[in-house]
Structure formats: structure tokens, C-alpha cells
Amino acid sequence: APPMGQGRSDVARAHARLWADETARVDVARKMYAYRFGRVLPHSDISVLRGIEGGRLKETYKIMANKYGVPWHARRYDRQRPEAADLPNQAINHAATFVEAAADAAVAAVGALPPLGFIHEQSSNAFTLDVADLWRAEITLPLAFSVAAKVMRHPRLSLEPETRREAAAWFRKHKLIPNMIDRIKELLHVDDRRRHAQRV
């Protein structure tokens, strides 16, 4: 899916309209969770959905650790001392950073509004984080654990550059940014293909 082009305000207007309406905002958040869970949950309380997602992630960490043969204890992240984390946690941090960069590119490409998150709040890039999290189980964690396993087997490898190299390959293989662009437009109910057809 190509970017929608510079100067287009369709996405920004749709984004602002949905975010400003409390009911619509919750509906978009529920749709985001539906993508992540693979089904629509009946809950409309975002805090409940966050709790369900937290439990799901704990299981996903264990599944990924077992799949790639990586020792796993718990998710730990110290913003002040990220390098103090164990290797799997550092790998997750690096992978998440690269996926967020891809999401940032997708959000910018379509002209969406980064501060207006539907799940994340009080961040200048809240919507970017929302988009990145849609690929947490599909891309971020498999990427992180696969690289962690590789670095454990080959200690001479450096974790951050290796994660960066693998991330680039994974993103190309999975067409991550084009898929993010499509997902954003779907979430915000923007159909630029129909609009283009009307102009032709």
C-alpha cells in the first residue's frame, strides 16, 4: 500500500474526529485489541482489555522463549538503566524500538496524528505506540527472541546491530510498513482507493 501523499488531510481529520468522540475512541481501541487477540472481546472497559493483554503477553513471552530456546524469567525494563536487563529483555527493547520506528514512518506517511492514541495516552507518539503494538506478538517478540538465541549461540555478535540487521530483513519480508499503512487507514475508516476511483 503506497503512502497517501503529502498534503492530504483526510486521515488527520478522520483521526481527530474518532479520537474526540468517546464512544468512537473506545470502538477503535477495541478493534485494535481484536487485531491482537484474533477476535472481538465483549469488554468495553480499556483497563480490562489492558489486563487481558498483559496476561496474554506473559504467555507469549514463555512461548517465544521455549520456541527459540532462550532462558526467560520475566519482562523487566529499567528506563534509567536499560543495559542492566538480561539479554532477552535487551533484545525485546531493541526490537520494540525498531518496530516503533517503522510505525512512526507509517503514521507520518498517511498523515495521522501521533499524539492522539486510542490505547496509549499522555505521549507525544501515543498513536505510533498503538500501531507498533499491533505487531508485538507477530513481529517484535519473534524477532527479539530469535536474535537473542543467535547472540547466545555466537557471543561475538553484538546484540543491537544484529537486531537492527535482522529487523530490516523481517520488515522487508513481512512488508511491515505497507501493512501498517493499510491497517491505519482501516482503523480510521479512510478508503483512499474509492476516492481515487471517483477522481479518475
Side-chain angles (χ1 to χ4, degrees):
M4 296 182 67
Q6 298 295 324
R8 293 288 297 275
S9 61
D10 308 63
V11 172
R13 287 199 301 268
H15 191 165
R17 184 169 57 251
L18 290 169
W19 186 86
D21 183 305
E22 185 174 351
T23 300
R25 192 191 316 170
V26 171
D27 286 344
V28 174
R30 290 183 67 209
K31 194 169 185 179
M32 287 180 164
Y33 278 115
Y35 286 134
R36 290 150 75 169
F37 294 135
R39 59 191 176 92
V40 177
L41 297 180
H43 312 285
S44 58
D45 188 325
I46 299 302
S47 62
V48 172
L49 291 169
R50 286 193 182 109
I52 296 172
E53 171 71 353
R56 175 178 174 269
L57 276 177
K58 287 182 180 179
E59 289 303 312
T60 304
Y61 292 138
K62 294 177 184 178
I63 291 169
M64 290 293 116
N66 288 333
K67 178 178 180 179
Y68 291 100
V70 174
W72 178 254
H73 304 291
R75 179 71 174 121
R76 298 188 180 93
Y77 178 51
D78 184 343
R79 292 183 182 276
Q80 303 302 320
R81 300 172 60 240
E83 73 285 349
D86 59 19
L87 191 141
N89 273 287
Q90 288 189 46
I92 293 172
N93 296 342
H94 291 314
T97 296
F98 297 136
V99 173
E100 286 167 18
D104 192 50
V107 169
V110 300
L113 306 173
L116 304 188
F118 294 90
I119 296 174
H120 289 84
E121 300 173 347
Q122 299 178 347
S123 170
S124 61
N125 66 335
F127 185 61
T128 297
L129 298 176
D130 283 352
V131 174
D133 274 357
L134 297 177
W135 277 268
R136 190 169 187 83
E138 182 182 348
I139 298 290
T140 305
L141 296 183
L143 169 63
F145 279 95
S146 66
V147 173
K150 186 175 183 179
V151 172
M152 289 175 64
R153 292 194 304 269
H154 306 283
R156 291 185 178 182
L157 293 176
S158 181
L159 182 62
E160 193 274 343
E162 190 63 26
T163 308
R164 182 187 300 274
R165 189 183 70 79
E166 289 290 334
W170 280 54
F171 294 178
R172 287 193 300 270
K173 177 181 178 181
H174 295 278
K175 300 180 180 178
L176 182 59
I177 293 177
N179 284 332
M180 285 178 165
I181 289 172
D182 284 343
R183 186 63 54 83
I184 291 169
K185 290 187 286 188
E186 183 178 348
L187 284 165
L188 301 181
H189 310 299
V190 175
D191 187 354
D192 56 310
R193 291 171 299 182
R194 182 179 60 187
R195 191 171 290 106
H196 175 73
Q198 291 173 345
R199 292 178 177 178
V200 175

